[in-house]
Amino acid sequence: MPFVGLSLFKKDTTLSKESQIPFQELRDIKITTDSEEGELWRMEASRALIDSGDVALLYDVTFISDRKGVILKAPKGRYDISTGKADLSGGVTITLPDGSGRIESLSIENGHIKSYDPVIIERGFLKISGHGLKTDSSGNLRILRDVKVELK
């Protein structure tokens, strides 16, 4: 179950009751999403703007999966606090246990990664490119189509 909650309130002095703040800015935030198997992702961001609809706009965001050894970094992101879905954009760098890569944008939902953008992954002497990226049922990253493998 993804992280749920985080309501931000202020005191309405004229009505003496709580009303939602239109947005809240937070700095140096960390959010962890868990499943029955343990931690799915740990998200860290230098700054987040959270609106009254529980959507956070993220800046300098990093998603880390210690279990899979995957790190995703992007300059911008969007995180839906109620569902746990995240969208990363602005050029995402991918760090894998045996390589690295880059893609323009991607989504993370229920612990799975998905994108339809062009992707480049480098592993050892290989450069693997294609279009689209997703995690399979085992949680491994797969390029969806137009896969091309080159020696570096």
Side-chain angles (χ1 to χ4, degrees), residues 1-4 32-36 40 82-84 110:
M1 184 77 181
F3 174 84
V4 179
T32 300
T33 58
D34 295 317
S35 73
E36 293 173 359
L40 286 174
S82 61
T83 65
N110 297 323

Side-chain angles (χ1 to χ4, degrees), residues 54-123:
D54 285 339
V55 173
L57 299 178
L58 308 169
Y59 299 91
D60 302 319
V61 61
T62 303
F63 274 78
I64 303 161
S65 173
D66 290 328
R67 195 170 55 168
K68 289 292 181 181
V70 176
I71 300 171
L72 307 169
K73 289 186 179 188
K76 298 183 291 185
R78 181 183 180 280
Y79 183 73
D80 186 319
I81 296 166
S82 61
T83 65
K85 182 181 181 207
D87 298 303
L88 305 181
S89 61
V92 181
T93 59
I94 304 166
T95 304
L96 305 167
D98 60 348
S100 63
R102 60 187 179 279
I103 194 164
E104 183 57 31
S105 64
L106 59 80
S107 296
I108 304 169
E109 188 169 14
N110 297 323
H112 295 284
I113 297 170
K114 183 169 32 173
S115 177
Y116 296 102
D117 291 344
V119 61
I120 296 173
I121 303 287
E122 296 183 1
R123 290 182 164 153

